[in-house]
Amino acid sequence: MRLTLRPLLAISLLLPFAACPALAASIGSFALNGKNVQLTCATLVPMPGTDGVMRMVLVLSEKSPKPGVEANTASTQGELGASLSAVLLKFEGENWENSTGFSYTHPDLKKPSGYCDASACKLERIEVNGGEFSAHLVAEPVAGSSGNALAFDMNLRVKMP
């Protein structure tokens, strides 16, 4: 019996991590109105391109999505705890960019979700090397577009989809 439990335990410990390409003790903290939440999962979700523009969604979340569940959908439905998500675009000959901003959910938020435009929530130093997306995400502790005070500063490294 001892031999059969060890493989099952090893498999059960690996399953929660399969849905999140970047999982760490903490990617960084996401503060809303002074209340911090640690984000632990970073995922890039591919989207169909339009008019030659490649697209994907960056999802940073407190919880990993369940196997078989798309991270972006789970994020917008509040299933991942606190989360930040943004559509990233790549125009031909250019690098990935976030020109629109971030949607977010947070336990301190009174509405289902909030929004922070790209002038307040900035994705900087974006690079893709060796199949890995890296960037610096920062928001100053000032009120975002939804009237909530956001603050975060994260260095991201996520496997490309």
Side-chain angles (χ1 to χ4, degrees), residues 19 45 59 70 72 80 83 95 103 112 123 127 135 153:
V45 180
V59 179
E70 184 191 38
N72 187 40
L80 303 180
S83 66
N95 200 359
S103 296
L123 196 56
E127 292 182 17
D153 187 346

Side-chain angles (χ1 to χ4, degrees), residues 28-158:
S29 68
F30 167 31
L32 178 73
N33 301 328
K35 184 176 179 183
N36 285 318
V37 175
Q38 294 299 313
L39 302 182
T40 60
C41 183
T43 308
L44 288 167
V45 180
M47 295 176 65
T50 57
D51 297 325
V53 177
M54 295 171 56
R55 303 182 311 160
M56 63 182 172
V57 179
L58 172 65
V59 179
L60 308 172
S61 58
E62 184 178 15
K63 301 174 189 173
S64 181
K66 294 177 183 175
V69 174
E70 184 191 38
N72 187 40
T73 303
S75 173
T76 58
Q77 294 175 352
E79 297 172 8
L80 303 180
S83 66
L84 294 160
S85 63
V87 174
L88 304 179
L89 305 174
K90 185 176 187 307
F91 295 93
E92 189 174 327
E94 300 291 324
N95 200 359
W96 289 97
E97 66 177 55
N98 169 21
S99 57
T100 58
F102 282 79
S103 296
Y104 60 88
T105 59
H106 192 282
D108 197 46
L109 192 61
K110 292 175 179 48
K111 298 177 183 178
S113 64
Y115 178 76
C116 181
D117 66 44
S119 65
C121 297
K122 300 174 184 169
L123 196 56
E124 308 169 324
R125 301 190 310 259
I126 299 171
E127 292 182 17
V128 176
N129 286 320
E132 187 175 76
F133 175 92
S134 63
H136 180 239
L137 175 61
V138 65
E140 301 297 323
V142 296
S145 303
S146 299
N148 293 294
L150 300 172
F152 45 81
D153 187 346
M154 301 176 215
N155 289 308
L156 307 173
R157 296 174 66 101
V158 188

